[in-house]
C-alpha cells in the first residue's frame, strides 16, 4: 500500500546512545517532515525537507540531525540520546506545504 | 505558544449525537486543516479549508472558517463509536517558508 513507512516502531535507548529513525515514502512527495508528539503538546516540528538534498530546522531541532539523500527517504538521527527525547516520533510527507500530509504510524522512543 | 488551539480539550458524547470542536489561531493563515488520530496511530488528513472559503463538507464532517475571528469549527454529525479519536487542527504559518503547525488536539469519546 502506498504511504509513509517508519522504522523501527519501538525502541528503548540508554542515555548517550545514538540511533537513526528511517522514514520512507512511495508517493513521490517533495516535502517531508519529522514531528514529535508529547502529551498535551500536540505535534512539534523538528526538521523538514522541501526536496532531495535539502533540510531545514523546525520548531525544536536541538539534539537532532536529518538527511535527505534520496527523495523517498528522510532520516532522523539522535547523536547522544537524552531522557527529554522520550517521545513518539512521526514522519509525514506532502506534495507541497499547502496540501494535506500523509503520516507514518510513528516510532515510540524511550530514553532511560 | 501554539498557532492553533483546540477547544474543548476533551469531549464525551453519546452515539448519534453531534460533536463540535473549535480551533482558534493567532496569525493570518493560507489554509486550515483538520486531522484525526486514533489511539497509537498516525494522523489522518480529514479536510482542508482555504482562507477564502467559509464552509466545507465531507460526508458527516462540516468545517467552518471565520477569518475575522481567527477560528474554525469541526462538526461531526450523527457520531459513531468509531469516531472516538483525537482531532487536531493545523494551520500554516510563515516562518522562512510555509510550515504546518498543529494544535494540542481535542479528545473525542463517543459512547455506544
Amino acid at each position: 500500500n502506498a504511504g509513509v513507512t517508519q522504522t523501527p516502531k519501538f525502541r528503548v535507548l540508554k542515555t548517550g546512545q545514538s540511533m537513526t529513525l528511517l522514514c520512507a515514502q512511495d508517493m513521490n512527495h517533495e516535502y517531508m517532515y519529522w514531528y514529535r508528539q508529547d502529551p498535551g503538546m500536540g505535534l512539534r516540528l523538528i526538521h523538514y525537507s522541501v526536496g532531495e538534498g535539502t533540510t531545514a530546522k523546525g520548531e525544536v531541532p536541538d539534539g537532532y540531525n536529518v538527511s535527505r539523500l534520496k527523495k523517498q527517504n528522510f532520516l532522523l538521527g539522535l547523536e547522544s540520546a537524552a531522557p527529554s527525547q522520550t517521545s513518539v516520533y512521526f514522519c509525514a510527507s506532502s506534495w507541497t506545504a499547502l496540501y494535506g500530509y500523509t503520516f507514518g504510524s510513528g516510532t515510540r522512543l524511550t530514553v532511560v | 505558544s501554539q498557532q492553533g488551539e483546540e477547544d474543548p480539550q476533551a469531549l464525551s458524547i453519546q452515539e448519534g449525537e453531534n460533536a463540535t470542536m473549535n480551533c482558534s489561531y493567532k496569525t493570518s493563515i493560507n489554509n486550515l486543516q483538520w486531522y484525526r488520530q486514533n489511539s497509537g496511530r498516525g494522523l489522518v488528513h480529514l479536510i482542508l479549508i482555504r482562507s477564502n472559503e467559509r464552509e466545507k463538507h465531507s460526508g458527516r464532517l462540516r468545517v467552518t472558517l471565520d477569518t475575522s475571528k481567527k477560528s474554525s469549527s469541526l462538526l461531526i454529525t450523527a457520531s459513531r463509536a468509531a469516531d472516538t479519536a483525537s482531532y487536531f487542527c493545523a494551520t500554516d504559518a510563515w516562518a522562512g517558508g510555509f510550515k504546518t503547525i498543529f494544535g494540542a488536539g481535542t479528545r473525542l469519546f463517543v459512547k455506544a
Side-chain angles (χ1 to χ4, degrees), chain B residues 8-25:
Chain B
Q9 291 185 332
L11 181 62
S12 182
I13 59 174
Q14 291 291 139
E15 203 167 32
E17 293 180 339
N18 295 342
T20 300
M21 289 158 270
N22 303 297
C23 171
S24 60
Y25 57 92

Side-chain angles (χ1 to χ4, degrees), chain A residues 36-109:
Chain A
R36 60 177 288 173
Q37 184 177 34
D38 302 293
M41 298 288 290
L43 281 82
R44 292 183 291 170
L45 181 65
I46 305 172
H47 286 279
Y48 66 102
S49 168
V50 301
E52 181 179 319
T54 74
T55 63
K57 294 181 180 179
E59 182 184 359
V60 288
D62 293 342
Y64 306 94
N65 57 76
V66 288
S67 64
R68 183 117 181 253
L69 299 180
K70 292 183 179 181
K71 188 176 184 178
Q72 63 268 35
N73 296 335
F74 195 29
L75 307 180
L76 177 70
L78 286 73
E79 291 186 346
S80 179
S84 61
Q85 294 177 305
T86 293
S87 186
V88 181
Y89 292 85
F90 287 99
C91 176
S93 70
S94 65
W95 287 110
T96 74
L98 303 181
Y99 284 84
Y101 292 6
T102 299
F103 279 83
S105 57
T107 295
R108 185 173 295 275
L109 175 67

Side-chain angles (χ1 to χ4, degrees), chain B residues 14-57:
Chain B
Q14 291 291 139
E15 203 167 32
E17 293 180 339
N18 295 342
T20 300
M21 289 158 270
N22 303 297
C23 171
S24 60
Y25 57 92
K26 296 180 173 63
T27 63
S28 296
I29 60 171
N30 193 71
N31 63 59
L32 185 144
Q33 303 174 70
W34 284 92
Y35 288 79
R36 182 188 74 232
Q37 183 182 35
N38 292 92
S39 180
R41 309 291 291 274
L43 278 71
V44 175
H45 182 253
L46 294 176
I47 198 164
L48 179 151
I49 185 166
R50 302 192 187 283
S51 59
N52 61 353
E53 297 176 312
R54 291 297 167 258
E55 189 171 311
K56 207 162 184 179
H57 296 257

